[in-house]
Amino acid sequence: MAKNKFHDGPGPSQRQLRVGELIRRTLSEVLSRAEIHDPDLNRISVTVGEVRTSSDLKIATAYVMPLGGEGRNDVIALLARNKGELRRLIGKRLELKYAPDLRFRLDETFDQMDETRRLFAQEKVRRDVED
């Protein structure tokens, strides 16, 4: 099997990163403009933090969080229910050869940032950092 001379290592390729960012922007735009024909989804503000694509660009995993963090599981269910329409809109706007299959996961980075802030606010940690 030929080795990819443009990409070494376990991380995503430049192409994966570029397409993931294009999908993220398009998905954010579609959701913010309420272009989906589902009134339940249109009532909720959704933040799309990141989109990761598979190496063949046929699967895109979107990491999302509802504004305020309430109704997390409902948002995932609503997005999954409307993924066909979202996939069609993304494929149409980006003019990709294949529109990727969309998968939705909760974006946990906000929770991780809060936990990190909490740890750094502890007296023992502040003492260690200042020394």
Side-chain angles (χ1 to χ4, degrees):
M1 178 182 268
K3 185 175 178 180
N4 182 352
K5 63 183 176 181
F6 298 110
H7 177 64
D8 292 334
S13 68
Q14 286 297 313
R15 184 172 181 224
Q16 285 174 276
L17 293 172
R18 187 180 71 240
V19 171
E21 180 60 19
L22 288 171
I23 292 170
R24 186 194 69 77
R25 287 182 190 171
T26 305
L27 192 58
S28 295
E29 186 178 298
V30 166
L31 292 172
S32 68
R33 292 186 179 175
E35 296 179 22
I36 302 299
H37 295 100
D38 187 345
D40 295 332
L41 184 57
N42 290 336
R43 276 187 252 133
I44 302 171
S45 294
V46 179
T47 301
V48 182
E50 181 183 8
V51 174
R52 295 182 189 165
T53 59
S54 61
S55 58
D56 60 359
L57 304 177
K58 293 198 177 189
I59 298 173
T61 305
Y63 292 88
V64 299
M65 178 66 74
L67 195 62
E70 295 181 18
R72 296 174 180 199
N73 294 330
D74 296 336
V75 167
I76 297 296
L78 287 169
L79 289 168
R81 185 170 76 191
N82 292 289
K83 80 177 189 174
E85 187 175 0
L86 290 166
R87 181 180 182 188
R88 182 185 57 79
L89 288 169
I90 288 170
K92 184 177 175 183
R93 293 225 179 129
L94 295 182
E95 298 177 355
L96 296 171
K97 186 173 183 179
Y98 299 104
D101 182 35
L102 297 173
R103 297 179 182 175
F104 299 98
R105 304 282 182 266
L106 284 174
D107 189 355
E108 302 292 337
T109 55
F110 298 110
D111 295 335
Q112 291 170 355
M113 287 178 10
D114 290 342
E115 179 62 18
T116 303
R117 283 190 195 109
R118 187 190 66 75
L119 287 172
F120 279 131
Q122 291 179 355
E123 182 63 33
K124 183 179 178 183
V125 174
R126 278 192 295 172
R127 247 182 302 138
D128 289 344
V129 171
E130 291 173 0
D131 290 342

